[in-house]
Amino acid sequence: MLSRRKTAAAAIEHIAPDTARRTLPRTLGAFTATAVLIGAIVGSGIFRVPSAVAATVGGPAGLMLVWVFGGLIALFGALSMAELAAMFPRTGGPYVYLLKAYGRPLAFLFGWMWLLTAPISWAALSLTFAQYLATLVPLTNAAQHWIAALAIVFFCALQYRSVHIGAFIQNLATTTKVLALLGLALVIFLLAPHLSSGGTAAATAQPMAWSGIGIALVAVLWAYDGWEDLTTLSGEIRNPGKNLPIALIAGTLIVVVVYLIVNAAYLHALPYAQLAASHAVASDAMVAAMGPLGAAATAVLIIVSVLGTLNGSVLTHPRVFFAMAEDNLFFGSIGKVHPRFETPYVAIILTATLAIIYVLLRNFIQLAEAYVLGVWPFLALAVIGLFILRRKRPELERPYKALGYPVIPALFILGTFFVIAYALWQQPVSTGVSIAITLVGIPLYIGWERLRRRHS
């Protein structure tokens, strides 16, 4: 009998949250919050996505229109999510909003999806870093994978040791990459031959391919993805009712403007057919402006950009698992806070372990593009939750109210579901697999709740 009690107690220890020293201190200000958001969005997407979009939409007008549409969807999402972030300034971000609006099952599904996609995104970022490093220093394929794994270990060790170190690196990396991107665009505008005035080749005007807009938006939303990552840090931001909305809105606006400027620079430097076929559009544009030196400069910029995004991801992503453990929707040990460093160290170790496995097993660069099909449906559901909470919980304090409510939140919801529906229509197998993997979380939730009740 005593043995059975000890066994049950041990099981509860792994399921129930550890209540000792669980609070993560509020130490991050508005500048760091904005830097985290910008750094989370601007990774490798702006260097890879424009060529794929150009190949899909048919002409320069379509290219710029898709980037505007994607930017508006992201901005409308940030404007809407800011109300939820200010209302529930707690670690976990979208997970918390889904929990408050819908309850435990949907919140668990989001956590399950996050457990699958967050480590994949780390793997993709670290492999992108290693591949561009290989353009500067000769590296075998195996060496690239090991260097990618070491990059994950390095940034996780920093975040394990101190959120302040991670925040400092994020501030520095974000400032550097934004200035470098604007510098890249300026160099291209100043030095690349203007195609319309006797450059390498004339950009042929083409009709916009409306049939490709939906698929192109999937790729563009991947490039804009990451603004929601900031909300996972809500429990560690000072004066969240003020600083979270400022960072969400200002940071997203900055990214939209920078992306439009950089795409205009690509169009300035390259014939449209070359842009659409390019595997390294930023490098090709810089070569047009600076010759071979442009390729090396672009590689350095991409390395800085990707590492900054990896640091931001390590800073934000594990917070979702930490929040789930607090609510008894994940193993309690995942919610432990380091007694000295005050960081969610077990959640960081868990995510890092999965990411390293992905890196060493295979190349997950292409899988990262499916990230949007896993994350964005939940973002739309979270914003629908804004309507639900306005009706069911009008008494809750709202330091910030969504600008343009209900029109702007509704446009974000419609835009997101349009992109997902279009992707399902055009690419039913890959999109369907992404949705099916998320739905696997339903029986997992049922099993988890049965196990939790058995040991409660």
Side-chain angles (χ1 to χ4, degrees), residues 371-395:
Y371 186 78
V372 62
L373 297 175
V375 174
W376 283 69
F378 286 101
L379 300 183
L381 288 170
V383 174
I384 292 173
L386 178 62
F387 290 86
I388 295 172
L389 292 167
R390 283 268 188 121
R391 181 171 55 86
K392 288 187 175 181
R393 302 293 305 275
E395 80 285 356

Side-chain angles (χ1 to χ4, degrees), residues 6-7 17 90 111 114 171 183 187 196 222 240 246 264-265 267 354 412:
K6 287 183 177 179
T7 302
R90 185 191 140 189
W114 200 258
N171 291 341
V187 167
S196 63
W222 179 66
I246 288 174
L267 286 169
L354 293 174
F412 171 73

Side-chain angles (χ1 to χ4, degrees), residues 9-10 20 51 85-86 100 221 236 296 303 305 343 350 374 376 379 406 409 416 444:
S51 57
K100 297 295 184 181
L221 288 184
E236 296 162 78
I303 287 171
S305 180
T343 57
L350 168 69
W376 283 69
L379 300 183
T416 301
L444 290 177

Side-chain angles (χ1 to χ4, degrees), residues 358-424:
Y358 293 153
V359 165
L360 296 180
L361 284 180
R362 57 176 297 185
N363 191 323
F364 274 82
I365 297 293
Q366 297 303 318
L367 286 179
E369 296 186 6
Y371 186 78
V372 62
L373 297 175
V375 174
W376 283 69
F378 286 101
L379 300 183
L381 288 170
V383 174
I384 292 173
L386 178 62
F387 290 86
I388 295 172
L389 292 167
R390 283 268 188 121
R391 181 171 55 86
K392 288 187 175 181
R393 302 293 305 275
E395 80 285 356
L396 289 174
E397 182 182 357
R398 290 170 169 82
Y400 163 86
K401 289 192 175 181
L403 183 67
Y405 179 91
V407 175
I408 283 180
L411 288 174
F412 171 73
I413 294 164
L414 291 173
T416 301
F417 282 129
F418 165 77
V419 172
I420 295 165
Y422 198 91
L424 187 59

